[in-house]
């Protein structure tokens, strides 16, 4: 989303990594016979356009030698995508946690295609003007994030309990989501830039970003490491 905003002229910077989640995968129903991406050809796939699951779907199709034109996209919001899958209206869904975890636990959905490396990072962004005028406040916010990250790493059971209370989801769903959420990173740098670039090129291929957009230059302008010392 930050890259799309940047390319569309919004003055934002990406300054901090708060998580390394595997928060999206390709999902099918418990009784589906689909086991690999190539088998989606000609089938209906629910996805929310311009989101991380959409990026993941585009990249997954490309690796299987397919494009969006080879499947029948059903554009829905994430929660509606899950419902469409469970009703049998679509063969697959580009899922997003925690709804994806809930579909697994509550409805027996299967994550038939996973690739953690193709998931994007959890990144904190800031408006350029705000960062220029309030650097001390930005550092204060990042310090709070760092303190929270340290507490979360030291107290996983408390994190799970807090998320259950905040989301009203079951302990089993939250536990499933947390098993694929890594909190050991914080400093933004080349690894995040590479992932954002790959995501941007996928969105450009899908027509979400203009064909003439310089994605690489936009990524370079988006990443701001000046607050890295805070981490």
């Amino acid at each position: 989303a930050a890259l799309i905003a940047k390319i569309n002229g919004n003055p934002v910077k990406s300054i901090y990594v708060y998580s390394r989640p595997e928060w999206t995968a390709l999902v099918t129903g418990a009784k589906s016979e689909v086991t690999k991406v190539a088998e989606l050809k000609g089938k209906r796939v629910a996805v929310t356009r311009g989101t991380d699951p959409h990026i993941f779907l585009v990249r997954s199709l490309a690796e299987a030698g397919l494009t969006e034109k080879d499947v029948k996209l059903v554009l829905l919001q994430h929660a509606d995508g899950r419902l469409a899958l469970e009703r049998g209206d679509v063969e697959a869904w580009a899922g997003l946690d925690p709804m994806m975890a809930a579909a697994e636990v509550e409805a027996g959905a299967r994550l038939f295609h996973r690739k953690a490396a193709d998931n994007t990072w959890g990144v904190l962004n800031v408006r350029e003007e705000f960062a220029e005028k309030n650097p001390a406040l930005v550092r204060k916010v990042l310090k709070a994030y760092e303190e929270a990250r340290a507490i979360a790493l030291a107290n996983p059971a408390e994190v799970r309990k807090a998320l259950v209370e905040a989301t009203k989801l079951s302990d089993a769903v939250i536990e499933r989501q947390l098993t694929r959420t890594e909190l050991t990173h914080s400093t933004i740098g080349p690894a995040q830039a590479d992932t954002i670039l790959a995501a941007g090129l996928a969105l450009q291929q899908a027509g979400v970003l203009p064909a003439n957009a310089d994605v690489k230059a936009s990524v370079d302008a988006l990443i701001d490491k000046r607050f890295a010392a805070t981490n």
Side-chain angles (χ1 to χ4, degrees):
L3 179 61
I4 295 174
K6 190 73 171 179
I7 289 175
N8 287 336
N10 293 301
V12 296
K13 292 286 188 180
S14 294
I15 60 173
Y16 177 84
V17 176
Y18 60 82
S19 70
R20 177 53 159 145
E22 186 189 359
W23 49 18
T24 185
L26 299 186
V27 189
T28 195
K31 297 181 180 180
S32 173
E33 296 181 356
V34 170
T35 60
K36 54 186 178 181
V37 179
E39 294 171 353
L40 293 179
K41 187 173 183 178
K43 293 183 169 59
R44 293 165 63 85
V45 181
V47 66
T48 306
R49 185 172 171 80
T51 62
D52 290 312
H54 184 206
I55 294 166
F56 186 81
L57 173 63
V58 170
R59 296 181 70 180
S60 300
L61 289 171
E63 289 180 4
L66 303 175
T67 71
E68 289 184 309
K69 294 180 180 179
D70 293 308
V71 299
K72 299 174 182 177
L73 293 185
V74 180
L75 302 181
L76 297 169
Q77 291 303 307
H78 301 299
D80 294 328
R82 177 193 170 185
L83 289 175
L85 180 70
E86 293 177 359
R87 287 196 303 258
D89 296 339
V90 296
E91 187 66 39
W93 165 49
L96 181 71
D97 269 336
M99 287 168 281
M100 186 167 70
E104 287 181 275
V105 172
E106 298 168 0
R110 292 187 297 105
L111 276 53
F112 72 93
H113 179 70
R114 297 174 63 177
K115 190 173 181 182
D118 282 358
N119 275 243
T120 52
W121 299 75
V123 171
L124 190 65
N125 306 294
V126 65
R127 289 186 61 83
E128 292 179 13
E129 182 180 7
F130 185 88
E132 291 293 341
K133 292 182 177 180
N134 304 280
L137 184 54
V138 172
R139 289 189 172 89
K140 185 175 182 179
V141 170
L142 296 191
K143 182 180 179 182
Y145 265 78
E146 275 296 278
E147 291 173 353
R149 188 172 69 87
I151 292 171
L153 287 170
N155 301 277
E158 289 301 313
V159 171
R160 186 172 67 249
K161 180 181 178 181
L163 286 173
V164 168
E165 292 176 355
T167 64
K168 309 305 180 186
L169 295 170
S170 71
D171 187 82
V173 169
I174 294 301
E175 184 174 10
R176 181 67 61 91
Q177 178 183 0
L178 288 176
T179 60
R180 45 185 181 240
T181 302
E182 183 187 341
L183 301 175
T184 58
H185 299 272
S186 60
T187 301
I188 197 163
Q192 292 73 38
D194 289 346
T195 300
I196 295 171
L197 175 60
L201 294 174
L203 287 175
Q204 192 172 50
Q205 175 189 332
V208 175
L209 294 176
N212 62 352
D214 189 336
V215 178
K216 176 65 166 59
S218 296
V219 172
D220 291 342
L222 178 67
I223 301 294
D224 188 341
K225 296 183 284 187
R226 84 179 96 165
F227 298 104
T230 305
N231 307 344

